[in-house]
Each structure stands twice: as C-alpha cells, then as structure tokens.
Amino acid sequence: MQMLNFAVVAFALLSAAYVSAISGKLYGIAGAVALLAAAVATTASLTARRQRQIAWIAAEPIREIQRRLAADLGIDSLRILDRSPAAQSRWRSAMWLAAVLHALVLTTCLTAAAAAWFWLR
C-alpha cells in the first residue's frame, strides 16, 4: 500500500512537472520527466509483483497457523484461507490486471517522452 501511495503522489507531481515543462516549451525537460515517470511506473510494478509473490509464499504458513488457532480455540471461522478456495485464481487475475495497468502507464509515459522529443526537434 505504501508503494501504491508513493506511485500516486509521484505521478501527480510528475504530471504537474510535465505540464509545466510543456507549457514553458521546455521539451527536453518534459521528455526527461516522462522518462522518469516510466521509471517510477516500472519500479512500482516490480515492487507490487514482489509483494504478491511474498504474500503467496506466506499463505501456507498462515493457513497452518489459522488451522491450529481454530483447533485450539474451537472457532472454525478462524480458518479464513481454507474458506477461500478461489484465492489462486484471484492472484492470477490480479497479476494480469497489474500487468495491463503497468503497460498502459508505461505506454503513456513513453508516448509523452516521444512527443517531447519530436517537439524538441
């Protein structure tokens, strides 16, 4: 969540910087800002992917802890991961969604950089 918040704030600042650079006819700076936005998008995507992998790895130990707690306390509703058999399909759909979103953001950033480059010429 912190990475998502960082990416949103970074994109807001970079968007303002890009628009200001274009308005000031500083096309080289606008291109550099767009490339920086592409780097931020890539970093955010890779970080989110790693966090999903860590969560997937942690699911089995958490499932075991939930089972033991449920058995010791006699509360079956503590078996949260056991009640969610479609978790893997949700993870896969989340990864596709993240990949598509990253591709869109990266395409937008690179298009902005290319536009600034062509204006510079």
Side-chain angles (χ1 to χ4, degrees), residues 2 5 25 31 33 35 38 49 53 55 61 74 78 80-81 94-95 97 103 105 107 119:
Q2 287 179 340
N5 290 336
K25 298 186 181 193
V33 168
L35 290 176
R49 182 177 181 191
Q53 289 173 342
L78 288 175
I80 297 167
L81 289 178
M95 288 180 14
L97 179 63
V105 170
T107 302
W119 279 332

Side-chain angles (χ1 to χ4, degrees), residues 61-117:
I62 291 171
R63 180 177 283 122
E64 181 61 31
I65 290 169
Q66 289 174 353
R67 286 176 181 163
R68 287 183 185 186
L69 276 173
D72 289 347
L73 299 175
I75 304 172
D76 284 335
S77 61
L78 288 175
R79 299 172 196 226
I80 297 167
L81 289 178
D82 287 341
R83 292 183 301 172
S84 178
Q88 187 162 355
S89 66
R90 277 194 293 241
W91 282 100
R92 287 187 181 147
S93 66
M95 288 180 14
W96 278 106
L97 179 63
V100 168
L101 182 61
H102 177 253
L104 287 172
V105 170
L106 193 58
T107 302
T108 303
C109 294
L110 293 178
T111 302
W117 173 257

Side-chain angles (χ1 to χ4, degrees), residues 4-5 7 13-14 17 22-23 28 30 39-40 50 57-58 60 63 65 68 76 94-95 111 114:
L4 177 63
N5 290 336
L13 293 174
L14 290 169
I22 291 293
S23 297
V40 169
R50 180 64 183 143
I57 292 168
E60 192 56 38
R63 180 177 283 122
I65 290 169
R68 287 183 185 186
D76 284 335
M95 288 180 14
T111 302

Side-chain angles (χ1 to χ4, degrees), residues 37-58:
V40 169
T42 301
T43 302
S45 178
L46 291 174
T47 302
R49 182 177 181 191
R50 180 64 183 143
Q51 291 300 320
R52 282 190 300 275
Q53 289 173 342
I54 290 170
W56 186 251
I57 292 168

Side-chain angles (χ1 to χ4, degrees), residues 6-17:
F6 166 76
V8 168
V9 170
F11 285 128
L13 293 174
L14 290 169
S15 297

